[in-house]
């Protein structure tokens, strides 16, 4: 998926190319160097070269290929210059073949990029790393997020997050972590973590935690591509198929999630004719295969259940046709299979739609008020349920609280609008 940008502005072109290609660059360079830290340095060097050269020389016809070629040359130069060349060549099993022959091999390796991003995810899901560190490193290397953005998402300081990411890369190096896709039991052991980080990448693209844009479609599209690839790698795993189905169906709504001005549009107000039928079809097909495997006794879990919920929305031609009772029942099962505060918040929404806002508020009230920390999710859902219950003043306060917690400008603006709309409905407020 080479980077394609129509922008003639060098700055915009560099940002677009980096977003589209950084993970592939790091993946291909890790294949070349067998060193994820060095790979990231080389990719960053290529980015710096683009910042220096594109404003003067113009944006190349294929920005992604330019970055790849530049990074590759920097990598080869690095090995030519450094004393470490002989050791690296020996590690790669090319000792004795001569420097130039080794260079040719190194050069060729960066052309085998088909699965490099997926390999990179398996690498960052190495058991030597903690779950939180795996997620942070994946967001950095695969998601292309800055250390500051990741630090905000983890409620950590930028310095601490930078140190954590550096330690993670050193740990992988010291563990001599292999870049090749694991097989057999080792692949099975890492599958849950790989699915988790692919879902994390999708969600960061679907609803960005920071910045001015509500969505980052490049990240969501990349996560869908990785989920398809993972499903091809493990076609008999219902959860993997469930993940693919979930991302495809949710991803089908992206074009309808923003209006013409770029403002967010919530699910029930979306123009469903703008949902992508191809993605829905792929998602439903993956879910059916998962259902067939489940019928033969294969275990299912949270991704399968969430995909089943997403399919209920996809099958409703109008918002009012949604089978909320079925969705509420599926969330009840999900709460038992994979309990957590986010599931409870979504269960509150489903119960509120299926049985009335008081039922939803009852689910929400049972949740620990601090379960999601400073996230705007709980107060925004409470505001929605209070609005539906006709408690406009309380709803306005909840939306205002949610807006104060949001770090995304588009989301914050939407929450402020809902707060004001409810305040306007309070008798005597005008």
């Amino acid at each position: 998926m080479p980077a394609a940008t129509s922008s003639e502005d060098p700055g915009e072109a560099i940002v677009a190319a980096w977003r589209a290609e950084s993970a592939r660059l790091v993946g291909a360079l890790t294949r070349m160097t067998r060193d994820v830290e060095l790979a990231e340095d080389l990719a960053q060097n290529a980015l710096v070269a683009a910042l220096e050269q594109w404003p003067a020389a113009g944006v190349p016809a294929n920005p992604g290929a330019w970055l790849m070629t530049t990074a590759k040359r920097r990598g080869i130069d690095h090995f030519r210059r450094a004393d470490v060349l002989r050791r690296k060549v020996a590690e790669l099993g090319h000792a004795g073949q001569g420097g130039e022959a080794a260079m040719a091999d190194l050069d060729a390796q960066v052309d085998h990029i088909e699965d490099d991003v997926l390999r990179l995810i398996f690498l960052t899901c190495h058991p030597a790393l903690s779950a939180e560190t795996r997620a942070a490193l994946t967001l950095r290397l695969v998601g292309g997020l800055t250390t500051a953005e990741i630090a905000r998402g983890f409620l950590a300081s930028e310095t601490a997050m930078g140190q954590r990411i550096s330690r993670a890369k050193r740990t992988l190096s010291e563990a001599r972590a292999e870049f090749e896709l694991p097989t057999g039991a080792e692949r099975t052991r890492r599958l849950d973590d790989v699915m988790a980080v692919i879902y994390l990448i999708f969600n960061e693209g679907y609803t960005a935690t920071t910045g001015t844009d509500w969505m980052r479609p490049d990240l969501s599209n990349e996560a869908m591509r990785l989920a398809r690839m993972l499903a091809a790698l493990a076609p008999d795993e219902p959860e993997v198929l469930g993940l693919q189905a979930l991302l495809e169906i949710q991803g089908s709504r992206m074009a309808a999630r923003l209006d013409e001005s770029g403002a967010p549009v919530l699910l029930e107000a979306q123009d469903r004719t703008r949902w992508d039928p191809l993605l829905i079809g792929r998602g439903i097909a993956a879910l059916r295969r998962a259902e067939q495997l489940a019928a033969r006794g294969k275990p299912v879990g949270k991704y399968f259940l969430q995909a089943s919920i997403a399919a209920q929305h996809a099958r409703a031609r109008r918002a009012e046709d949604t089978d909320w009772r079925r969705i509420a029942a599926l969330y009840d099962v999900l709460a038992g299979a994979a309990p957590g505060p986010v599931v409870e918040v979504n269960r509150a929404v489903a119960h509120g739609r299926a049985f009335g806002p008081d039922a939803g508020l009852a689910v929400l009230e049972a949740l620990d008020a601090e379960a999601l920390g400073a996230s705007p999710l709980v107060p925004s859902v409470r505001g929605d349920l209070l609005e539906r219950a006709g408690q406009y003043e309380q709803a306005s306060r909840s939306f205002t609280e949610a807006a104060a917690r949001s770090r995304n400008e588009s989301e914050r603006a939407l929450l402020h609008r809902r707060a004001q709309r409810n305040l306007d409905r309070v008798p005597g407020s005008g």
Side-chain angles (χ1 to χ4, degrees), residues 31-32 39 57-58 61-62 113 127 130 144 158 188 193 203 206 212 238 262 269 276 305 352 358 368 396 415:
R31 174 191 289 278
M32 175 181 175
N62 189 332
I113 62 172
S130 69
E158 185 174 348
T188 302
D193 292 325
N203 281 335
Y206 201 62
T212 56
D276 188 327
L305 290 167
D358 288 344
D368 180 352
S396 180
L415 292 166

Side-chain angles (χ1 to χ4, degrees), residues 76 80 85 89 92 94-109:
I76 292 171
R80 281 188 172 133
L85 170 63
V89 172
L92 292 169
H94 297 300
Q97 294 181 15
E100 290 302 319
M103 286 305 129
D105 285 345
L106 289 169
D107 183 80
Q109 286 187 54

Side-chain angles (χ1 to χ4, degrees), residues 210-247:
T210 61
T212 56
D213 297 331
W214 196 32
M215 293 192 298
R216 291 183 58 183
D218 54 335
L219 282 183
S220 291
N221 287 327
E222 179 65 359
M224 283 189 278
R225 189 188 71 83
L226 293 169
R228 285 177 209 129
M229 197 177 296
L230 194 64
L233 198 67
D236 296 326
E237 293 291 340
E239 272 295 84
V240 176
L241 291 166
L243 175 69
Q244 183 198 349
L246 174 62
L247 302 197

Side-chain angles (χ1 to χ4, degrees), residues 369-390:
E370 302 302 319
L372 284 173
S375 167
L377 189 57
V378 171
S380 66
V381 169
R382 182 180 292 113
D384 179 84
L385 291 165
L386 288 167
E387 178 181 336
R388 291 172 188 275

Side-chain angles (χ1 to χ4, degrees), residues 322-336:
T322 306
D323 187 348
W324 281 108
R325 287 176 180 264
R326 173 65 178 157
I327 290 173
L330 285 166
Y331 267 117
D332 290 345
V333 177
L334 181 61

Side-chain angles (χ1 to χ4, degrees), residues 89-160:
V89 172
E91 288 174 358
L92 292 169
H94 297 300
Q97 294 181 15
E100 290 302 319
M103 286 305 129
D105 285 345
L106 289 169
D107 183 80
Q109 286 187 54
V110 295
D111 294 329
H112 297 285
I113 62 172
E114 182 65 26
D115 299 330
D116 280 348
V117 179
L118 190 59
R119 291 172 199 273
L120 191 58
I121 292 177
F122 269 99
L123 179 66
T124 57
C125 288
H126 194 279
L129 304 178
S130 69
E132 194 172 60
T133 300
R134 290 173 205 152
L137 189 60
T138 306
L139 285 173
R140 172 62 178 269
L141 298 181
V142 182
L145 270 64
T146 66
T147 302
E149 289 173 329
I150 300 168
R152 282 196 292 270
F154 282 83
L155 304 178
S157 73
E158 185 174 348
T159 301

